[in-house]
């Protein structure tokens, strides 16, 4: 009897969450922290042209740096999410930013490759701690508009990532490696914002309860037919492969396309950052509009449209004349990233009683596996040349077409 009452209480609590409406102040606050967090991660790749000269790093070593960052920030996410699903810990939000602050300080003064790796570990762990709890804040603040809420949250992160080329041009090329010390201000600003978000988050946990135990998902969403374990496993496997391919491709663009542009088109270090910025800035817009559109047409349709529409542009990019690189980079970034936040929401709706773990798998583990691409591409560039590497990576988005095999999402089925 107690179990039945507990289930009904949880269902009522989650219904109350939907009725409170979308809390935009909290969504924009947590999105701004996401921006600051991902900007700190972007500092690492923005420093690559500087590290190449100041520390005399090879493409392979830069691949290992990107790998270390992505592995620590990503693979740890589903682990943190698994435990925080059982016991949410709001204090982890500012604690994670504190770890990133230490990492930023270390990058500014790292005297060699090993010290850079150690600093990157702190930045990565801070991000791994932040993302699962941040996703749960978004869950409470969404008011039922999950696609829109996740898009607002993800726009912050993608905006931070898109700043890497601008930081290279305006900060690190003029100031060199010590310019990374400015990253500590990003961490401090994030902590200040989180000190306002954490009390609200604690109130939501107290009023609406902690994540549902097994068997409560149907009570939380009675209109949706519960997915079987085999369907969930298959769908999550397809999502992980899809995000893996997309993140591996983006690793090639964000970490090595600037060097490719320098070689192929004879661009300067600064000019070679422009196509990357256009790609990432367009991705910010695509993330937002993709989430809004997914609330109307369904998650699966948006995911398939994103991947299917991006593949032709990815195949074209390495072969274009310089004048076409800029518009194609923009269109490619917009379409490719329009399905990113939607993938997260789709995963969360597959396993609604494990929101943190679902978020960690899609934004964390899959990206961490994609980080292997940074190492492979770095060493492949040394062995075969960047021209061949960019051609080979352009095929990767085609793997995303596996999304057509995904089962219908809850919104489309209802």
């Amino acid at each position: 009897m107690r179990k039945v009452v507990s289930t009904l209480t949880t269902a009522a609590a989650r219904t109350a969450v939907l009725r409170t409406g979308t809390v935009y102040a909290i969504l924009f606050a947590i999105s701004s922290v996401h921006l600051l967090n991902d900007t700190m991660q972007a500092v690492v790749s923005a420093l690559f042209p500087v590290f190449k000269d100041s520390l005399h790093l090879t493409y392979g070593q830069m691949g290992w740096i990107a790998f270390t960052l992505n592995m620590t920030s990503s693979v740890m996410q589903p682990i943190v999410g698994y435990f925080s699903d059982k016991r949410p810990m709001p204090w982890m939000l500012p604690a994670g930013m504190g770890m990133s602050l230490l990492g930023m300080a270390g990058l500014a003064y790292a005297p060699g490759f090993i010290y850079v790796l150690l600093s990157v570990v702190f930045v990565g762990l801070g991000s791994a701690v932040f993302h699962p709890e941040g996703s749960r804040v978004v869950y409470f603040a969404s008011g039922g508009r999950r696609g829109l809420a996740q898009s607002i949250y993800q726009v912050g992160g993608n905006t931070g990532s898109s700043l890497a080329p601008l930081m290279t041009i305006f900060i690190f090329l003029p100031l060199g490696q010590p310019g990374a010390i400015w990253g500590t201000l990003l961490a401090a600003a994030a902590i200040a914002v989180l000190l306002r978000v954490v009390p609200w988050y604690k109130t939501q946990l107290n009023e609406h309860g902690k994540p549902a135990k097994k068997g409560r998902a149907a009570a939380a969403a009675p209109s949706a037919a519960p997915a079987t374990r085999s369907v969930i496993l298959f769908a999550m496997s397809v999502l992980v492969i899809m995000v893996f391919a997309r993140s591996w491709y983006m690793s090639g663009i964000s970490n090595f396309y600037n060097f490719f542009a320098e070689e192929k088109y004879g661009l300067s270090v600064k000019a070679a950052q422009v196509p990357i910025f256009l790609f990432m800035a367009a991705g910010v817009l695509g993330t937002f509009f993709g989430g809004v559109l997914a609330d109307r047409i369904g998650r699966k349709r948006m995911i398939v449209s994103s991947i299917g529409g991006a593949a032709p542009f990815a195949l074209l990019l390495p072969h274009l004349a310089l004048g076409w690189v800029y518009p194609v980079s923009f269109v490619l970034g917009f379409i490719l990233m329009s399905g990113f936040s939607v993938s997260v929401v789709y995963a969360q709706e597959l396993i609604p009683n494990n929101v943190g773990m679902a978020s960690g798998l899609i934004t964390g583990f899959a990206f961490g596996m994609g980080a292997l691409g940074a190492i492979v591409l770095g060493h492949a560039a040394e062995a075969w040349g960047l021209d061949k590497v960019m051609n080979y990576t352009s095929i990767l988005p085609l793997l995303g077409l596996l999304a057509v095999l995904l089962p219908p999402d809850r919104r489309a089925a209802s």
Side-chain angles (χ1 to χ4, degrees), residues 195-228:
L195 291 178
R196 303 296 298 272
V197 172
V198 166
W200 180 89
Y201 179 26
K202 287 181 178 178
T203 300
Q204 298 306 304
L205 290 172
N206 292 333
E207 291 183 356
H208 303 305
K210 296 178 180 180
K213 304 293 184 185
K214 292 182 179 179
R216 298 182 184 177
S223 62
T228 64

PDB file of all heavy atoms in Angstrom, residues 195-228:
ATOM      1  N   LEU A 195      25.270  29.894  -7.593  1.00  0.00           N
ATOM      2  CA  LEU A 195      24.870  30.136  -6.206  1.00  0.00           C
ATOM      3  C   LEU A 195      23.446  30.668  -6.113  1.00  0.00           C
ATOM      4  O   LEU A 195      22.815  30.589  -5.056  1.00  0.00           O
ATOM      5  CB  LEU A 195      25.856  31.104  -5.546  1.00  0.00           C
ATOM      6  CG  LEU A 195      27.268  30.543  -5.306  1.00  0.00           C
ATOM      7  CD1 LEU A 195      28.169  31.608  -4.697  1.00  0.00           C
ATOM      8  CD2 LEU A 195      27.216  29.310  -4.404  1.00  0.00           C
ATOM      9  N   ARG A 196      22.938  31.206  -7.239  1.00  0.00           N
ATOM     10  CA  ARG A 196      21.534  31.633  -7.280  1.00  0.00           C
ATOM     11  C   ARG A 196      20.620  30.507  -7.762  1.00  0.00           C
ATOM     12  O   ARG A 196      19.437  30.466  -7.413  1.00  0.00           O
ATOM     13  CB  ARG A 196      21.384  32.850  -8.220  1.00  0.00           C
ATOM     14  CG  ARG A 196      22.248  34.038  -7.842  1.00  0.00           C
ATOM     15  CD  ARG A 196      21.842  34.603  -6.481  1.00  0.00           C
ATOM     16  NE  ARG A 196      20.475  35.085  -6.470  1.00  0.00           N
ATOM     17  CZ  ARG A 196      20.100  36.297  -6.810  1.00  0.00           C
ATOM     18  NH1 ARG A 196      21.013  37.181  -7.203  1.00  0.00           N
ATOM     19  NH2 ARG A 196      18.816  36.656  -6.751  1.00  0.00           N
ATOM     20  N   VAL A 197      21.156  29.616  -8.599  1.00  0.00           N
ATOM     21  CA  VAL A 197      20.351  28.524  -9.150  1.00  0.00           C
ATOM     22  C   VAL A 197      20.163  27.397  -8.138  1.00  0.00           C
ATOM     23  O   VAL A 197      19.071  26.808  -8.042  1.00  0.00           O
ATOM     24  CB  VAL A 197      21.004  27.968 -10.432  1.00  0.00           C
ATOM     25  CG1 VAL A 197      20.298  26.699 -10.913  1.00  0.00           C
ATOM     26  CG2 VAL A 197      20.999  29.023 -11.528  1.00  0.00           C
ATOM     27  N   VAL A 198      21.207  27.096  -7.372  1.00  0.00           N
ATOM     28  CA  VAL A 198      21.182  25.951  -6.461  1.00  0.00           C
ATOM     29  C   VAL A 198      20.025  26.003  -5.469  1.00  0.00           C
ATOM     30  O   VAL A 198      19.346  24.981  -5.258  1.00  0.00           O
ATOM     31  CB  VAL A 198      22.534  25.795  -5.741  1.00  0.00           C
ATOM     32  CG1 VAL A 198      22.427  24.839  -4.568  1.00  0.00           C
ATOM     33  CG2 VAL A 198      23.593  25.299  -6.723  1.00  0.00           C
ATOM     34  N   PRO A 199      19.726  27.140  -4.814  1.00  0.00           N
ATOM     35  CA  PRO A 199      18.576  27.157  -3.889  1.00  0.00           C
ATOM     36  C   PRO A 199      17.258  26.810  -4.576  1.00  0.00           C
ATOM     37  O   PRO A 199      16.420  26.093  -4.008  1.00  0.00           O
ATOM     38  CB  PRO A 199      18.573  28.604  -3.359  1.00  0.00           C
ATOM     39  CG  PRO A 199      19.991  29.051  -3.504  1.00  0.00           C
ATOM     40  CD  PRO A 199      20.470  28.413  -4.764  1.00  0.00           C
ATOM     41  N   TRP A 200      17.039  27.324  -5.796  1.00  0.00           N
ATOM     42  CA  TRP A 200      15.816  26.986  -6.535  1.00  0.00           C
ATOM     43  C   TRP A 200      15.772  25.492  -6.835  1.00  0.00           C
ATOM     44  O   TRP A 200      14.735  24.843  -6.699  1.00  0.00           O
ATOM     45  CB  TRP A 200      15.774  27.790  -7.837  1.00  0.00           C
ATOM     46  CG  TRP A 200      14.554  27.523  -8.673  1.00  0.00           C
ATOM     47  CD1 TRP A 200      13.342  28.156  -8.609  1.00  0.00           C
ATOM     48  CD2 TRP A 200      14.399  26.519  -9.693  1.00  0.00           C
ATOM     49  NE1 TRP A 200      12.459  27.625  -9.521  1.00  0.00           N
ATOM     50  CE2 TRP A 200      13.087  26.620 -10.202  1.00  0.00           C
ATOM     51  CE3 TRP A 200      15.258  25.563 -10.227  1.00  0.00           C
ATOM     52  CZ2 TRP A 200      12.605  25.790 -11.219  1.00  0.00           C
ATOM     53  CZ3 TRP A 200      14.791  24.730 -11.243  1.00  0.00           C
ATOM     54  CH2 TRP A 200      13.475  24.849 -11.720  1.00  0.00           C
ATOM     55  N   TYR A 201      16.909  24.939  -7.245  1.00  0.00           N
ATOM     56  CA  TYR A 201      17.001  23.517  -7.564  1.00  0.00           C
ATOM     57  C   TYR A 201      16.682  22.668  -6.328  1.00  0.00           C
ATOM     58  O   TYR A 201      15.934  21.680  -6.404  1.00  0.00           O
ATOM     59  CB  TYR A 201      18.405  23.240  -8.086  1.00  0.00           C
ATOM     60  CG  TYR A 201      18.704  21.809  -8.461  1.00  0.00           C
ATOM     61  CD1 TYR A 201      17.708  20.924  -8.856  1.00  0.00           C
ATOM     62  CD2 TYR A 201      20.014  21.351  -8.441  1.00  0.00           C
ATOM     63  CE1 TYR A 201      18.009  19.624  -9.214  1.00  0.00           C
ATOM     64  CE2 TYR A 201      20.324  20.051  -8.795  1.00  0.00           C
ATOM     65  CZ  TYR A 201      19.319  19.189  -9.185  1.00  0.00           C
ATOM     66  OH  TYR A 201      19.620  17.901  -9.532  1.00  0.00           O
ATOM     67  N   LYS A 202      17.211  23.050  -5.180  1.00  0.00           N
ATOM     68  CA  LYS A 202      16.920  22.323  -3.941  1.00  0.00           C
ATOM     69  C   LYS A 202      15.426  22.353  -3.628  1.00  0.00           C
ATOM     70  O   LYS A 202      14.839  21.351  -3.190  1.00  0.00           O
ATOM     71  CB  LYS A 202      17.711  22.933  -2.775  1.00  0.00           C
ATOM     72  CG  LYS A 202      19.202  22.630  -2.796  1.00  0.00           C
ATOM     73  CD  LYS A 202      19.883  23.260  -1.584  1.00  0.00           C
ATOM     74  CE  LYS A 202      21.368  22.928  -1.547  1.00  0.00           C
ATOM     75  NZ  LYS A 202      22.045  23.579  -0.386  1.00  0.00           N
ATOM     76  N   THR A 203      14.797  23.505  -3.857  1.00  0.00           N
ATOM     77  CA  THR A 203      13.353  23.629  -3.605  1.00  0.00           C
ATOM     78  C   THR A 203      12.557  22.682  -4.496  1.00  0.00           C
ATOM     79  O   THR A 203      11.600  22.038  -4.043  1.00  0.00           O
ATOM     80  CB  THR A 203      12.893  25.079  -3.848  1.00  0.00           C
ATOM     81  OG1 THR A 203      13.603  25.953  -2.957  1.00  0.00           O
ATOM     82  CG2 THR A 203      11.398  25.226  -3.614  1.00  0.00           C
ATOM     83  N   GLN A 204      12.956  22.576  -5.783  1.00  0.00           N
ATOM     84  CA  GLN A 204      12.267  21.673  -6.698  1.00  0.00           C
ATOM     85  C   GLN A 204      12.399  20.226  -6.247  1.00  0.00           C
ATOM     86  O   GLN A 204      11.433  19.452  -6.299  1.00  0.00           O
ATOM     87  CB  GLN A 204      12.828  21.829  -8.124  1.00  0.00           C
ATOM     88  CG  GLN A 204      12.654  23.201  -8.722  1.00  0.00           C
ATOM     89  CD  GLN A 204      11.217  23.672  -8.694  1.00  0.00           C
ATOM     90  OE1 GLN A 204      10.323  22.995  -9.215  1.00  0.00           O
ATOM     91  NE2 GLN A 204      10.966  24.814  -8.086  1.00  0.00           N
ATOM     92  N   LEU A 205      13.586  19.853  -5.792  1.00  0.00           N
ATOM     93  CA  LEU A 205      13.785  18.482  -5.314  1.00  0.00           C
ATOM     94  C   LEU A 205      12.927  18.208  -4.082  1.00  0.00           C
ATOM     95  O   LEU A 205      12.360  17.119  -3.931  1.00  0.00           O
ATOM     96  CB  LEU A 205      15.263  18.250  -4.987  1.00  0.00           C
ATOM     97  CG  LEU A 205      16.219  18.204  -6.183  1.00  0.00           C
ATOM     98  CD1 LEU A 205      17.665  18.165  -5.709  1.00  0.00           C
ATOM     99  CD2 LEU A 205      15.927  17.001  -7.070  1.00  0.00           C
ATOM    100  N   ASN A 206      12.812  19.187  -3.207  1.00  0.00           N
ATOM    101  CA  ASN A 206      12.020  19.001  -1.994  1.00  0.00           C
ATOM    102  C   ASN A 206      10.527  18.946  -2.288  1.00  0.00           C
ATOM    103  O   ASN A 206       9.779  18.163  -1.683  1.00  0.00           O
ATOM    104  CB  ASN A 206      12.307  20.133  -1.000  1.00  0.00           C
ATOM    105  CG  ASN A 206      13.721  20.075  -0.435  1.00  0.00           C
ATOM    106  OD1 ASN A 206      14.315  19.001  -0.355  1.00  0.00           O
ATOM    107  ND2 ASN A 206      14.250  21.218  -0.052  1.00  0.00           N
ATOM    108  N   GLU A 207      10.064  19.773  -3.232  1.00  0.00           N
ATOM    109  CA  GLU A 207       8.637  19.866  -3.503  1.00  0.00           C
ATOM    110  C   GLU A 207       8.135  18.783  -4.453  1.00  0.00           C
ATOM    111  O   GLU A 207       7.016  18.292  -4.311  1.00  0.00           O
ATOM    112  CB  GLU A 207       8.309  21.242  -4.096  1.00  0.00           C
ATOM    113  CG  GLU A 207       8.466  22.383  -3.096  1.00  0.00           C
ATOM    114  CD  GLU A 207       8.068  23.718  -3.703  1.00  0.00           C
ATOM    115  OE1 GLU A 207       7.746  23.746  -4.915  1.00  0.00           O
ATOM    116  OE2 GLU A 207       8.077  24.717  -2.972  1.00  0.00           O
ATOM    117  N   HIS A 208       8.942  18.430  -5.438  1.00  0.00           N
ATOM    118  CA  HIS A 208       8.484  17.519  -6.488  1.00  0.00           C
ATOM    119  C   HIS A 208       9.126  16.143  -6.422  1.00  0.00           C
ATOM    120  O   HIS A 208       8.808  15.290  -7.238  1.00  0.00           O
ATOM    121  CB  HIS A 208       8.739  18.137  -7.870  1.00  0.00           C
ATOM    122  CG  HIS A 208       8.083  19.462  -8.041  1.00  0.00           C
ATOM    123  ND1 HIS A 208       6.731  19.659  -7.856  1.00  0.00           N
ATOM    124  CD2 HIS A 208       8.590  20.677  -8.380  1.00  0.00           C
ATOM    125  CE1 HIS A 208       6.439  20.926  -8.084  1.00  0.00           C
ATOM    126  NE2 HIS A 208       7.550  21.569  -8.387  1.00  0.00           N
ATOM    127  N   GLY A 209      10.034  15.958  -5.507  1.00  0.00           N
ATOM    128  CA  GLY A 209      10.610  14.638  -5.340  1.00  0.00           C
ATOM    129  C   GLY A 209      11.829  14.404  -6.189  1.00  0.00           C
ATOM    130  O   GLY A 209      12.110  15.111  -7.155  1.00  0.00           O
ATOM    131  N   LYS A 210      12.570  13.362  -5.812  1.00  0.00           N
ATOM    132  CA  LYS A 210      13.756  12.965  -6.549  1.00  0.00           C
ATOM    133  C   LYS A 210      13.332  12.093  -7.720  1.00  0.00           C
ATOM    134  O   LYS A 210      12.178  11.724  -7.849  1.00  0.00           O
ATOM    135  CB  LYS A 210      14.721  12.222  -5.610  1.00  0.00           C
ATOM    136  CG  LYS A 210      15.222  13.138  -4.499  1.00  0.00           C
ATOM    137  CD  LYS A 210      16.127  12.402  -3.542  1.00  0.00           C
ATOM    138  CE  LYS A 210      16.600  13.353  -2.433  1.00  0.00           C
ATOM    139  NZ  LYS A 210      17.474  12.690  -1.474  1.00  0.00           N
ATOM    140  N   PRO A 211      14.275  11.757  -8.605  1.00  0.00           N
ATOM    141  CA  PRO A 211      13.908  10.968  -9.780  1.00  0.00           C
ATOM    142  C   PRO A 211      13.156   9.694  -9.420  1.00  0.00           C
ATOM    143  O   PRO A 211      13.409   9.076  -8.390  1.00  0.00           O
ATOM    144  CB  PRO A 211      15.268  10.641 -10.410  1.00  0.00           C
ATOM    145  CG  PRO A 211      16.134  11.781  -9.993  1.00  0.00           C
ATOM    146  CD  PRO A 211      15.693  12.124  -8.605  1.00  0.00           C
ATOM    147  N   ALA A 212      12.222   9.311 -10.297  1.00  0.00           N
ATOM    148  CA  ALA A 212      11.358   8.167 -10.035  1.00  0.00           C
ATOM    149  C   ALA A 212      12.130   6.869 -10.014  1.00  0.00           C
ATOM    150  O   ALA A 212      13.097   6.695 -10.738  1.00  0.00           O
ATOM    151  CB  ALA A 212      10.276   8.078 -11.116  1.00  0.00           C
ATOM    152  N   LYS A 213      11.694   5.963  -9.145  1.00  0.00           N
ATOM    153  CA  LYS A 213      12.273   4.625  -9.122  1.00  0.00           C
ATOM    154  C   LYS A 213      11.721   3.828 -10.296  1.00  0.00           C
ATOM    155  O   LYS A 213      10.817   4.241 -10.994  1.00  0.00           O
ATOM    156  CB  LYS A 213      11.908   3.912  -7.812  1.00  0.00           C
ATOM    157  CG  LYS A 213      12.316   4.669  -6.571  1.00  0.00           C
ATOM    158  CD  LYS A 213      13.816   4.737  -6.441  1.00  0.00           C
ATOM    159  CE  LYS A 213      14.201   5.421  -5.123  1.00  0.00           C
ATOM    160  NZ  LYS A 213      15.637   5.608  -5.009  1.00  0.00           N
ATOM    161  N   LYS A 214      12.264   2.627 -10.504  1.00  0.00           N
ATOM    162  CA  LYS A 214      11.777   1.771 -11.569  1.00  0.00           C
ATOM    163  C   LYS A 214      10.302   1.459 -11.323  1.00  0.00           C
ATOM    164  O   LYS A 214       9.882   1.203 -10.217  1.00  0.00           O
ATOM    165  CB  LYS A 214      12.584   0.468 -11.638  1.00  0.00           C
ATOM    166  CG  LYS A 214      14.020   0.685 -12.097  1.00  0.00           C
ATOM    167  CD  LYS A 214      14.748  -0.635 -12.204  1.00  0.00           C
ATOM    168  CE  LYS A 214      16.180  -0.411 -12.679  1.00  0.00           C
ATOM    169  NZ  LYS A 214      16.929  -1.676 -12.783  1.00  0.00           N
ATOM    170  N   GLY A 215       9.543   1.449 -12.424  1.00  0.00           N
ATOM    171  CA  GLY A 215       8.124   1.148 -12.313  1.00  0.00           C
ATOM    172  C   GLY A 215       7.274   2.390 -12.198  1.00  0.00           C
ATOM    173  O   GLY A 215       6.067   2.316 -12.230  1.00  0.00           O
ATOM    174  N   ARG A 216       7.895   3.576 -12.077  1.00  0.00           N
ATOM    175  CA  ARG A 216       7.119   4.803 -11.934  1.00  0.00           C
ATOM    176  C   ARG A 216       7.023   5.587 -13.228  1.00  0.00           C
ATOM    177  O   ARG A 216       6.365   6.599 -13.285  1.00  0.00           O
ATOM    178  CB  ARG A 216       7.736   5.691 -10.856  1.00  0.00           C
ATOM    179  CG  ARG A 216       7.724   5.031  -9.477  1.00  0.00           C
ATOM    180  CD  ARG A 216       8.307   5.963  -8.445  1.00  0.00           C
ATOM    181  NE  ARG A 216       8.392   5.306  -7.151  1.00  0.00           N
ATOM    182  CZ  ARG A 216       8.907   5.868  -6.080  1.00  0.00           C
ATOM    183  NH1 ARG A 216       9.387   7.094  -6.131  1.00  0.00           N
ATOM    184  NH2 ARG A 216       8.965   5.213  -4.932  1.00  0.00           N
ATOM    185  N   ALA A 217       7.768   5.162 -14.236  1.00  0.00           N
ATOM    186  CA  ALA A 217       7.775   5.923 -15.480  1.00  0.00           C
ATOM    187  C   ALA A 217       6.385   6.012 -16.093  1.00  0.00           C
ATOM    188  O   ALA A 217       5.989   7.038 -16.625  1.00  0.00           O
ATOM    189  CB  ALA A 217       8.750   5.285 -16.477  1.00  0.00           C
ATOM    190  N   ALA A 218       5.616   4.929 -16.005  1.00  0.00           N
ATOM    191  CA  ALA A 218       4.281   4.953 -16.596  1.00  0.00           C
ATOM    192  C   ALA A 218       3.384   5.925 -15.880  1.00  0.00           C
ATOM    193  O   ALA A 218       2.538   6.580 -16.477  1.00  0.00           O
ATOM    194  CB  ALA A 218       3.677   3.547 -16.575  1.00  0.00           C
ATOM    195  N   ALA A 219       3.541   6.042 -14.552  1.00  0.00           N
ATOM    196  CA  ALA A 219       2.734   7.001 -13.796  1.00  0.00           C
ATOM    197  C   ALA A 219       3.103   8.418 -14.145  1.00  0.00           C
ATOM    198  O   ALA A 219       2.269   9.311 -14.151  1.00  0.00           O
ATOM    199  CB  ALA A 219       2.928   6.752 -12.299  1.00  0.00           C
ATOM    200  N   ALA A 220       4.393   8.646 -14.447  1.00  0.00           N
ATOM    201  CA  ALA A 220       4.845   9.990 -14.787  1.00  0.00           C
ATOM    202  C   ALA A 220       4.364  10.404 -16.172  1.00  0.00           C
ATOM    203  O   ALA A 220       4.181  11.568 -16.443  1.00  0.00           O
ATOM    204  CB  ALA A 220       6.368  10.054 -14.730  1.00  0.00           C
ATOM    205  N   ALA A 221       4.196   9.420 -17.086  1.00  0.00           N
ATOM    206  CA  ALA A 221       3.754   9.739 -18.435  1.00  0.00           C
ATOM    207  C   ALA A 221       2.734   8.715 -18.892  1.00  0.00           C
ATOM    208  O   ALA A 221       3.004   7.848 -19.710  1.00  0.00           O
ATOM    209  CB  ALA A 221       4.958   9.758 -19.387  1.00  0.00           C
ATOM    210  N   PRO A 222       1.504   8.759 -18.347  1.00  0.00           N
ATOM    211  CA  PRO A 222       0.511   7.735 -18.600  1.00  0.00           C
ATOM    212  C   PRO A 222       0.042   7.657 -20.038  1.00  0.00           C
ATOM    213  O   PRO A 222      -0.490   6.652 -20.455  1.00  0.00           O
ATOM    214  CB  PRO A 222      -0.647   8.136 -17.675  1.00  0.00           C
ATOM    215  CG  PRO A 222      -0.472   9.597 -17.443  1.00  0.00           C
ATOM    216  CD  PRO A 222       0.982   9.830 -17.468  1.00  0.00           C
ATOM    217  N   SER A 223       0.257   8.717 -20.824  1.00  0.00           N
ATOM    218  CA  SER A 223      -0.223   8.717 -22.194  1.00  0.00           C
ATOM    219  C   SER A 223       0.693   7.964 -23.129  1.00  0.00           C
ATOM    220  O   SER A 223       0.341   7.702 -24.268  1.00  0.00           O
ATOM    221  CB  SER A 223      -0.361  10.166 -22.699  1.00  0.00           C
ATOM    222  OG  SER A 223       0.897  10.797 -22.700  1.00  0.00           O
ATOM    223  N   ALA A 224       1.932   7.622 -22.673  1.00  0.00           N
ATOM    224  CA  ALA A 224       2.889   6.967 -23.546  1.00  0.00           C
ATOM    225  C   ALA A 224       3.012   5.505 -23.185  1.00  0.00           C
ATOM    226  O   ALA A 224       3.064   5.149 -22.019  1.00  0.00           O
ATOM    227  CB  ALA A 224       4.253   7.653 -23.429  1.00  0.00           C
ATOM    228  N   ALA A 225       3.059   4.649 -24.193  1.00  0.00           N
ATOM    229  CA  ALA A 225       3.247   3.230 -23.939  1.00  0.00           C
ATOM    230  C   ALA A 225       4.676   2.989 -23.505  1.00  0.00           C
ATOM    231  O   ALA A 225       5.604   3.470 -24.147  1.00  0.00           O
ATOM    232  CB  ALA A 225       2.940   2.437 -25.204  1.00  0.00           C
ATOM    233  N   PRO A 226       4.895   2.278 -22.380  1.00  0.00           N
ATOM    234  CA  PRO A 226       6.234   2.054 -21.910  1.00  0.00           C
ATOM    235  C   PRO A 226       7.040   1.218 -22.901  1.00  0.00           C
ATOM    236  O   PRO A 226       6.551   0.228 -23.449  1.00  0.00           O
ATOM    237  CB  PRO A 226       6.027   1.302 -20.589  1.00  0.00           C
ATOM    238  CG  PRO A 226       4.662   0.685 -20.700  1.00  0.00           C
ATOM    239  CD  PRO A 226       3.864   1.620 -21.536  1.00  0.00           C
ATOM    240  N   ALA A 227       8.259   1.618 -23.174  1.00  0.00           N
ATOM    241  CA  ALA A 227       9.109   0.899 -24.109  1.00  0.00           C
ATOM    242  C   ALA A 227       9.699  -0.324 -23.423  1.00  0.00           C
ATOM    243  O   ALA A 227       9.987  -0.309 -22.236  1.00  0.00           O
ATOM    244  CB  ALA A 227      10.221   1.819 -24.603  1.00  0.00           C
ATOM    245  N   THR A 228       9.840  -1.411 -24.186  1.00  0.00           N
ATOM    246  CA  THR A 228      10.447  -2.607 -23.637  1.00  0.00           C
ATOM    247  C   THR A 228      11.946  -2.405 -23.504  1.00  0.00           C
ATOM    248  O   THR A 228      12.536  -1.515 -24.123  1.00  0.00           O
ATOM    249  CB  THR A 228      10.177  -3.812 -24.549  1.00  0.00           C
ATOM    250  OG1 THR A 228      10.813  -3.589 -25.821  1.00  0.00           O
ATOM    251  CG2 THR A 228       8.683  -4.008 -24.761  1.00  0.00           C
TER     252      THR A 228
END
